[in-house]
Amino acid sequence: MLTTKQYKFWFLTGSQDLYGDACLKVVAEHSHKIVDALNASGALGYELVWKPTLIDSVSIRETLAAANADPDVAGCIVWMHTFSPAKMWIRGFNEYRKPLLHLHTQFNRDIPFDTIDMDFMNENQSAHGDREFAHMLTRMKTPRKIVSGHWSDPNVQKRIADWMNVAIGALESRYLRIVRVGDNMRDVAVTEGDKVEAEQKFGWEVDAYCITDVAEYVNDVALGDINALTDEYYDTYDLITDGRDADEFRRHVAEQAKIEIGFRKFCEENRYQAVVTNFQSLAGLNQLPGLAMQRMMADGYGFGAEGDWKTAGVVRLFKLMTAGKTGKKGTSFMEDYTYHLEPGNKAILQSHMLEVCPSIAEAKPAIRVCPLSMGNREDPARLVFTAKEGDGVACSLVDLGTRFRMIINEVAVKKQVTPMPKLPVATALWAPKPDFETGTEGWLMCGGAHHTAFTYDLTSSDVVDLCDHFGIESVVIGEGTTMGSLKRDLMIGEVYYK
Ligand code: MN
């Protein structure tokens, strides 16, 4: 698995020295208990680290600068236990650059109506202090997520956990390196984009290589390694040979093992976490990378076909944002192909020439070797399967010339009841939300691509939070969307993100 490091998050508590040491001692005890309880809850995918209470601008600036500098810290969660005059936070947040969550909570769940006095109220005034703090962040236009509610509430804990996953994607995005073999598929518009702007906005380094640079790695792979990986394929997947000769079939499969080992070595040596191929640029390779890319995607690599570096980047971010989740259902590069327009059961068949990630497979995938309808290479081996049933999001990052827009469609993947024996590719059949007409008409109105990054394991709200961190436009088409509301969203975006 192309893993990332075990990040931590810092928990910062704000107060001031007006209340005396006795009060500050209680504040520290309370924040300690909250951090311990959140860590013990099992709800968070990453460790929360308690930090001493911040009571002046010097300690605030030094702590936030230390969070910026620590490579193991993915972000901070901040909470005002009492009142923390927010001018103290200005210098710190002028420098702070990592993801930020404002947890609007308080230590006690209920008001102790029988015993409450002025001391209690002064000591427990998050409702007051968090407003002062939030005012300053709003004035400074500091991007942040706000979660409100008692820290013991499972829903609050889940929202913190979801934000942590978004934060991992937002932070790791800064270090993402994408290798692109060849250029864009000739004449295609939507997969193009401004790579300089992408590096400023997302941090992505998108480097082009000649396919022959990678093919050298592929053709250098030792026969013993190819055989070992081919054996692993045969142990891991079913085989559908379509009547082909067993040796000839295996020789085609072994070609993908060679491609997989070569591409992985190239990516490891050159520190790339996402791969972009182009079927028009295959010099030195005997097959279009199919099974090889499917397995790298399953291992956490981003992937985009036909030069689509933007979708490759988003697939990688989604892999990162779901890495810490338990019970996840999968994330893949995907493409809208053809429609089922039966009244009451309308759906879009999703697939690609070859490269769909087996993490979304409903059952054990099978290897098939079949001709590719385009290009001039030999029949490539690929994994075929149908996708799991369930809700997910399909996302397309497009470049509108002056800015990026993320289009997010909530979709429901259907159970594939009718087999498609003659279709030798992995598929998902989904219905866009809120309904077929609004989903497809809205997508076209937004300028969304045919390629998407699809995942079951994030919500539209998670992807919006990610876009908010980057400061780019995001548009959701999902439950509750109407063409009227969508058009208004697009008009507002046109003005705001100009
Ligand atoms: Mn495509």
Side-chain angles (χ1 to χ4, degrees), residues 40-223:
S41 71
L44 309 187
Y46 298 87
E47 187 190 344
L48 204 49
V49 179
W50 180 86
K51 288 284 164 184
T53 312
L54 300 169
I55 57 170
D56 57 60
S57 67
V58 173
S59 62
I60 288 169
R61 187 180 58 74
E62 286 176 355
T63 302
L64 289 174
N68 273 337
D70 189 330
D72 294 332
V73 175
C76 289
I77 297 177
V78 186
W79 166 56
M80 300 303 116
H81 184 292
T82 47
F83 192 72
S84 181
K87 281 158 74 175
M88 299 194 311
W89 291 83
I90 294 174
R91 284 197 278 176
F93 277 113
N94 267 339
E95 296 178 13
Y96 185 71
R97 290 291 174 268
K98 286 189 174 173
L100 177 67
L101 173 73
H102 180 189
L103 179 60
H104 184 43
T105 190
Q106 67 184 16
F107 182 71
N108 52 299
R109 194 193 69 180
D110 302 339
I111 295 173
F113 293 109
D114 293 342
T115 58
I116 185 168
D117 59 12
M118 212 57 213
D119 286 343
F120 181 93
M121 203 154 72
N122 273 329
E123 198 174 273
N124 298 281
Q125 51 171 312
S126 304
H128 180 169
D130 272 335
R131 280 171 167 74
E132 162 77 359
F133 176 72
H135 165 77
M136 202 58 240
L137 293 182
T138 295
R139 179 166 170 164
M140 293 176 74
K141 296 188 167 64
T142 305
R144 83 279 197 190
K145 172 83 174 174
I146 302 169
V147 172
S148 177
H150 196 251
W151 48 272
S152 67
D153 179 346
N155 187 47
V156 168
Q157 295 174 354
K158 182 184 181 304
R159 292 181 70 203
I160 295 171
D162 289 345
W163 170 81
M164 283 180 164
N165 288 319
V166 172
I168 298 295
L171 188 72
E172 279 272 337
S173 183
R174 298 177 186 181
Y175 317 123
L176 175 54
R177 286 165 50 78
I178 303 172
V179 56
R180 191 166 183 246
V181 287
D183 196 355
N184 202 63
M185 179 180 164
R186 287 184 281 281
D187 295 327
V188 174
V190 77
T191 49
E192 287 278 17
D194 184 339
K195 297 188 284 293
V196 178
E197 187 67 14
E199 188 151 352
Q200 283 180 242
K201 278 275 186 296
F202 313 122
W204 301 350
E205 291 180 2
V206 186
D207 296 334
Y209 285 81
C210 187
I211 179 63
T212 48
D213 295 328
V214 190
E216 281 177 19
Y217 281 71
V218 171
N219 292 313
D220 272 355
V221 178
L223 195 58

Side-chain angles (χ1 to χ4, degrees), residues 228-243:
L229 187 56
T230 308
D231 287 344
E232 187 187 320
Y233 291 174
Y234 275 54
D235 290 343
T236 309
Y237 311 111
D238 290 333
L239 306 178
I240 300 175
T241 58
D242 298 303

Side-chain angles (χ1 to χ4, degrees), residues 305-306 333 335 352 450-451:
E306 292 112 38
F333 174 75
E335 180 169 274
H352 203 258
H450 49 284
H451 286 170

